[in-house]
């Protein structure tokens, strides 16, 4: 079993290292393959635990600078997660710039 029980039901559970290199790590290099991006986002969209995943990912990355976020997680690119985190901070009155 993984760190969170819900991860055992995740669509991405058990994928190969090649997939992770192409999608999760590859996107962080600024060289995403469009078909890998579409495939990853579609897989996340159909995932039965997307809500749980998104909650954990956004919390884990809450104070992480945008340039340290990599790959598709919870159905979002690093840029999408960064923008959502910034929006959430602004709504909570925590925006400091």
């Amino acid at each position: 079993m993984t760190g969170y029980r819900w991860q055992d039901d995740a669509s991405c559970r058990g994928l190969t290292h090649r997939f992770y290199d192409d999608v999760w790590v590859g996107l962080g290099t600024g060289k995403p393959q469009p078909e890998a991006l579409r495939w990853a986002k579609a897989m996340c969209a159909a995932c039965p635990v997307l809500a749980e995943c998104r909650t954990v990912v956004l919390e884990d990355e809450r104070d992480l600078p945008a340039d340290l976020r990599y790959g598709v997680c919870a159905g979002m690119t690093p840029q999408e997660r960064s923008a959502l985190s910034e929006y959430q901070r602004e709504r909570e009155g925590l925006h400091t710039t």
Side-chain angles (χ1 to χ4, degrees):
M1 184 164 51
T2 57
Y4 297 99
R5 290 192 95 110
W6 58 264
Q7 287 178 321
D8 291 329
D9 297 325
S11 295
C12 61
R13 175 130 172 95
L15 292 176
T16 67
H17 289 291
R18 174 83 174 126
F19 175 81
Y20 283 101
D21 290 344
D22 287 348
V23 178
W24 269 264
V25 178
L27 286 175
T29 66
K31 301 175 190 171
Q33 296 297 317
E35 63 277 2
L37 174 61
R38 283 191 297 275
W39 189 86
K41 290 185 100 173
M43 179 186 57
C44 289
C47 184
V49 294
L50 176 59
E52 293 90 338
C53 179
R54 187 165 287 168
T55 297
V56 170
V57 167
L58 291 175
E59 182 60 32
D60 285 351
E61 291 186 348
R62 183 176 180 83
D63 298 317
L64 192 65
D67 61 339
L68 294 180
R69 299 170 194 236
Y70 296 97
V72 173
C73 289
M76 296 182 289
T77 65
Q79 295 81 13
E80 291 167 336
R81 294 192 312 276
S82 183
L84 184 55
S85 291
E86 181 67 20
Y87 171 76
Q88 289 174 331
R89 281 192 298 276
E90 287 176 2
R91 285 197 57 188
E92 294 168 0
L94 302 175
H95 184 64
T96 58
T97 59

